Amino acid sequence: MPFKIYLTVMFNLGTLSDDNYTELKQYLQDIRSIRNSIQFPTDIQQTQYDIIDLSIEYLETILKTKFIDQTQLNEFCQQARHLFSVNIDLAARAQLDMLDTKMRPWYEERFNDTERNTLKILIMGSKTTRDGYIEKTYFYTLLGERQEGNHIIYVEDADNEQRALEILGVWLLDAKASARFFSGDSERLHRDVLADAGVAHIKRIFKASKSEL
């Protein structure tokens, strides 16, 4: 709700436009209806009502004044962020607790040390992960890894196990070829082919530019 409100008014600082006034007035009615009808689980109920009430209060203010004050908008966003952080913490805990309940016993009981050295974890997803993706972070910690590649692989655009295994096969083939051609560096072909030469030349370019000043 706060994001919806912010996105509606972010380019409308000052006098509220007629179109935004109409849209937000309807949205206020919708939120009030939700507030009176929806039920939340007891352990998260108060936070959700606080988010709704904060949104209602802010909408009532700007609809009454027909003016978007930047300071008030910033305060609204900060108050919303504080409430969001409660939900975010609960969501992260729930997801990781569920993952850990399944994965750690499987990892510790099923594999010996030798098998763990060759274990590959495939994390399937429909798009590139954002920095700090919690499933990656969990498996980094479980396997004692610092980065993706050796034991942990995020597989993009894979909506089934067969597709993920096909991508893994290509990954392993690249790793084997890379080790042969690049003095044992099995990760070299998993990076841009031009990466190392590019970094070296970029340094030369900017070093030359500085010397010309």
Side-chain angles (χ1 to χ4, degrees):
M1 292 177 183
F3 275 120
K4 157 68 176 175
I5 295 170
Y6 174 73
L7 292 174
T8 302
V9 304
M10 61 184 294
F11 297 119
N12 189 189
L13 296 178
T15 303
L16 187 63
S17 71
D18 291 340
D19 288 343
N20 283 344
Y21 178 87
T22 301
E23 181 178 350
L24 292 174
K25 185 177 181 180
Q26 179 60 54
Y27 192 51
L28 176 58
Q29 294 176 1
D30 294 341
I31 293 176
R32 284 173 173 161
S33 177
I34 291 172
R35 179 67 169 83
N36 294 329
S37 62
I38 196 168
Q39 295 292 323
F40 296 101
T42 304
D43 57 335
I44 66 169
Q45 177 174 281
Q46 189 57 54
T47 300
Q48 314 321 310
Y49 284 146
D50 287 346
I51 292 173
I52 296 173
D53 291 341
L54 174 67
S55 300
I56 289 174
E57 181 181 354
Y58 181 68
L59 283 175
E60 288 176 339
T61 297
I62 62 177
L63 289 173
K64 181 179 180 180
T65 61
K66 295 185 178 181
F67 190 86
I68 307 299
D69 178 80
Q70 184 166 336
T71 300
Q72 288 181 335
L73 178 59
N74 289 341
E75 290 175 355
F76 167 70
C77 291
Q78 290 304 307
Q79 289 175 319
R81 182 200 61 79
H82 174 72
L83 294 171
F84 289 159
S85 68
V86 177
N87 281 347
I88 290 169
D89 183 67
L90 289 172
R93 287 171 180 262
Q95 185 172 341
L96 289 171
D97 286 346
M98 181 177 65
L99 186 63
D100 189 55
T101 298
K102 295 179 179 180
M103 290 294 103
R104 190 149 39 141
W106 171 80
Y107 177 73
E108 293 178 348
E109 297 170 9
R110 183 163 182 173
F111 302 102
N112 58 38
D113 290 341
T114 301
E115 291 169 328
R116 290 174 187 172
N117 287 334
T118 59
L119 180 66
K120 304 293 183 186
I121 299 290
L122 301 184
I123 304 173
M124 297 167 57
S126 60
K127 61 181 180 180
T128 303
T129 60
R130 293 179 178 176
D131 183 45
Y133 184 53
I134 62 173
E135 288 189 13
K136 274 189 180 182
T137 304
Y138 173 82
F139 283 112
Y140 288 163
T141 305
L142 179 65
L143 274 64
E145 293 289 301
R146 292 187 175 183
Q147 61 186 15
E148 184 180 353
N150 189 23
H151 292 287
I152 300 167
I153 302 168
Y154 182 83
V155 183
E156 296 178 36
D157 296 325
D159 56 2
N160 59 73
E161 183 177 331
Q162 181 59 40
R163 175 59 180 155
L165 291 175
E166 290 172 358
I167 294 174
L168 174 62
V170 174
W171 182 281
L172 295 175
L173 181 62
D174 285 348
K176 188 171 183 178
S178 181
R180 291 287 186 182
F181 282 91
F182 294 95
S183 304
D185 183 0
S186 62
E187 295 299 310
R188 182 62 188 84
L189 290 180
H190 294 149
R191 307 196 309 274
D192 191 314
V193 174
L194 303 181
D196 293 350
V199 168
H201 192 55
I202 287 171
K203 289 180 179 179
R204 287 194 292 268
I205 290 172
F206 283 93
K207 184 177 180 180
S209 297
K210 290 179 180 179
S211 66
E212 293 171 359
L213 295 177

